Coordinates of all heavy atoms in Angstrom, one line a residue:
S219 N 83.1 205.1 132.2 CA 82.3 204.1 131.6 C 80.9 204.0 132.2 O 80.0 203.5 131.6 CB 83.0 202.8 131.7 OG 83.2 202.4 133.1
N220 N 80.7 204.6 133.5 CA 79.5 204.6 134.0 C 78.4 205.3 133.3 O 77.2 205.1 133.4 CB 79.6 205.3 135.5 CG 78.3 205.1 136.3 OD1 77.8 204.0 136.4 ND2 77.8 206.2 136.8
D221 N 78.9 206.3 132.3 CA 77.9 207.0 131.5 C 77.2 206.1 130.5 O 76.1 206.4 130.1 CB 78.7 208.1 130.8 CG 79.0 209.2 131.6 OD1 78.2 209.5 132.6 OD2 80.0 210.0 131.4
L222 N 77.8 204.9 130.3 CA 77.1 204.0 129.5 C 76.1 203.0 130.2 O 75.6 202.2 129.6 CB 78.3 203.1 128.8 CG 79.1 203.7 127.7 CD1 80.2 202.8 127.3 CD2 78.3 204.1 126.5
K223 N 76.0 203.2 131.4 CA 75.1 202.4 132.3 C 74.0 203.3 132.8 O 73.2 202.7 133.6 CB 75.9 201.8 133.4 CG 77.1 200.9 132.9 CD 78.0 200.4 134.1 CE 79.2 199.7 133.5 NZ 80.1 199.3 134.7
K224 N 73.8 204.5 132.3 CA 72.7 205.4 132.7 C 71.5 205.2 131.8 O 71.6 204.7 130.7 CB 73.2 206.8 132.8 CG 74.3 207.1 133.7 CD 74.8 208.6 133.6 CE 75.9 208.9 134.6 NZ 76.3 210.3 134.4
D225 N 70.4 205.6 132.3 CA 69.2 205.6 131.5 C 69.4 206.5 130.3 O 70.0 207.7 130.5 CB 68.0 206.1 132.2 CG 67.5 205.1 133.3 OD1 67.8 204.0 133.2 OD2 66.7 205.5 134.2
G226 N 69.1 206.1 129.1 CA 69.3 206.9 127.9 C 70.7 206.9 127.4 O 71.1 207.6 126.5
S227 N 71.4 205.9 127.8 CA 72.8 205.8 127.4 C 72.9 205.4 126.0 O 73.9 205.6 125.3 CB 73.6 204.7 128.3 OG 73.0 203.4 128.1
Q228 N 71.9 204.9 125.3 CA 71.9 204.6 123.9 C 72.1 205.8 123.0 O 72.7 205.8 122.0 CB 70.5 203.9 123.6 CG 70.6 203.2 122.2 CD 71.6 202.1 122.0 OE1 71.8 201.3 123.0 NE2 72.4 202.1 120.9
F229 N 71.5 207.0 123.6 CA 71.8 208.3 122.9 C 73.3 208.5 122.8 O 73.8 209.0 121.8 CB 71.1 209.4 123.7 CG 69.5 209.3 123.5 CD1 68.8 209.2 124.7 CD2 69.0 209.5 122.3 CE1 67.4 209.1 124.6 CE2 67.6 209.5 122.2 CZ 66.8 209.3 123.4
L230 N 74.0 208.3 123.9 CA 75.5 208.5 124.0 C 76.2 207.6 123.0 O 77.1 208.0 122.2 CB 76.0 208.4 125.4 CG 77.4 208.5 125.6 CD1 78.0 209.8 125.1 CD2 77.8 208.3 127.1
L231 N 75.8 206.2 123.1 CA 76.5 205.3 122.3 C 76.3 205.5 120.8 O 77.3 205.5 120.0 CB 76.1 203.9 122.7 CG 76.7 202.7 122.0 CD1 78.2 202.7 122.1 CD2 76.0 201.4 122.4
D232 N 75.0 205.8 120.4 CA 74.8 206.2 119.1 C 75.6 207.4 118.6 O 76.1 207.4 117.4 CB 73.2 206.3 118.9 CG 72.4 205.1 119.0 OD1 73.0 204.0 119.0 OD2 71.2 205.2 119.1
W233 N 75.7 208.4 119.4 CA 76.4 209.6 119.0 C 77.8 209.3 118.9 O 78.5 209.7 117.9 CB 76.2 210.6 120.1 CG 77.0 211.9 119.7 CD1 76.8 212.8 118.8 CD2 78.2 212.3 120.4 NE1 77.7 213.8 118.8 CE2 78.6 213.5 119.8 CE3 78.9 211.9 121.5 CZ2 79.8 214.2 120.1 CZ3 80.1 212.5 121.9 CH2 80.5 213.7 121.2
L234 N 78.4 208.5 119.8 CA 79.9 208.1 119.7 C 80.1 207.4 118.3 O 81.1 207.6 117.6 CB 80.2 207.2 120.9 CG 80.4 208.0 122.2 CD1 80.5 206.9 123.3 CD2 81.5 208.9 122.2
I235 N 79.3 206.5 118.0 CA 79.4 205.7 116.8 C 79.3 206.6 115.6 O 80.0 206.4 114.6 CB 78.3 204.5 116.7 CG1 78.6 203.5 117.8 CG2 78.3 203.9 115.4 CD1 77.5 202.4 118.0
S236 N 78.3 207.6 115.7 CA 78.2 208.5 114.6 C 79.3 209.3 114.3 O 79.7 209.7 113.1 CB 77.0 209.3 114.7 OG 77.2 210.5 115.6
I237 N 80.0 209.8 115.4 CA 81.2 210.7 115.2 C 82.3 209.9 114.5 O 83.1 210.6 113.8 CB 81.6 211.4 116.4 CG1 82.1 210.5 117.5 CG2 80.6 212.4 116.9 CD1 82.7 211.2 118.8
R238 N 82.4 208.7 114.7 CA 83.4 207.9 114.0 C 83.0 207.7 112.6 O 83.9 207.7 111.8 CB 83.6 206.5 114.8 CG 84.5 205.6 114.1 CD 84.8 204.3 115.0 NE 85.7 203.5 114.3 CZ 85.4 202.3 113.7 NH1 84.2 201.8 113.9 NH2 86.3 201.6 113.1
E239 N 81.8 207.4 112.3 CA 81.3 207.1 111.0 C 81.4 208.4 110.1 O 81.7 208.3 108.9 CB 79.8 206.7 110.9 CG 79.7 205.3 111.6 CD 78.2 204.8 111.7 OE1 77.3 205.8 111.7 OE2 77.9 203.6 111.8
R240 N 81.3 209.5 110.8 CA 81.4 210.8 110.0 C 82.9 211.3 110.0 O 83.1 212.3 109.4 CB 80.5 211.9 110.7 CG 79.1 211.7 110.6 CD 78.3 212.8 111.2 NE 78.2 212.7 112.7 CZ 78.2 213.6 113.6 NH1 78.5 214.9 113.1 NH2 78.2 213.4 114.9
G241 N 83.8 210.6 110.6 CA 85.2 210.9 110.4 C 85.7 212.0 111.4 O 86.8 212.5 111.2
L242 N 84.9 212.4 112.3 CA 85.4 213.4 113.3 C 86.4 212.8 114.2 O 87.3 213.5 114.7 CB 84.2 213.9 114.1 CG 83.1 214.7 113.3 CD1 82.0 215.1 114.2 CD2 83.8 216.0 112.7
V243 N 86.3 211.5 114.4 CA 87.3 210.7 115.2 C 87.6 209.4 114.5 O 86.7 208.9 113.7 CB 86.8 210.4 116.7 CG1 86.5 211.6 117.4 CG2 85.7 209.4 116.7
K244 N 88.8 208.9 114.6 CA 89.1 207.6 114.0 C 88.6 206.4 114.8 O 88.2 205.4 114.3 CB 90.6 207.5 113.8 CG 91.2 208.3 112.7 CD 92.8 208.0 112.5 CE 93.3 208.8 111.5 NZ 94.8 208.5 111.3

């Protein structure tokens, strides 16, 4: 979870949300 507290973590969060929206993960 520390990866969500680093500089630029919004890139990670946005990507995670996108893979769910695209159906790659539920």
Side-chain angles (χ1 to χ4, degrees):
S219 61
N220 189 52
D221 285 332
L222 289 173
K223 302 173 185 179
K224 296 177 179 178
D225 290 342
S227 61
Q228 192 62 42
F229 290 116
L230 175 58
L231 181 59
D232 288 347
W233 177 73
L234 289 170
I235 292 172
S236 79
I237 61 176
R238 179 173 177 250
E239 291 175 342
R240 287 181 284 143
L242 296 177
V243 304
K244 284 185 181 179

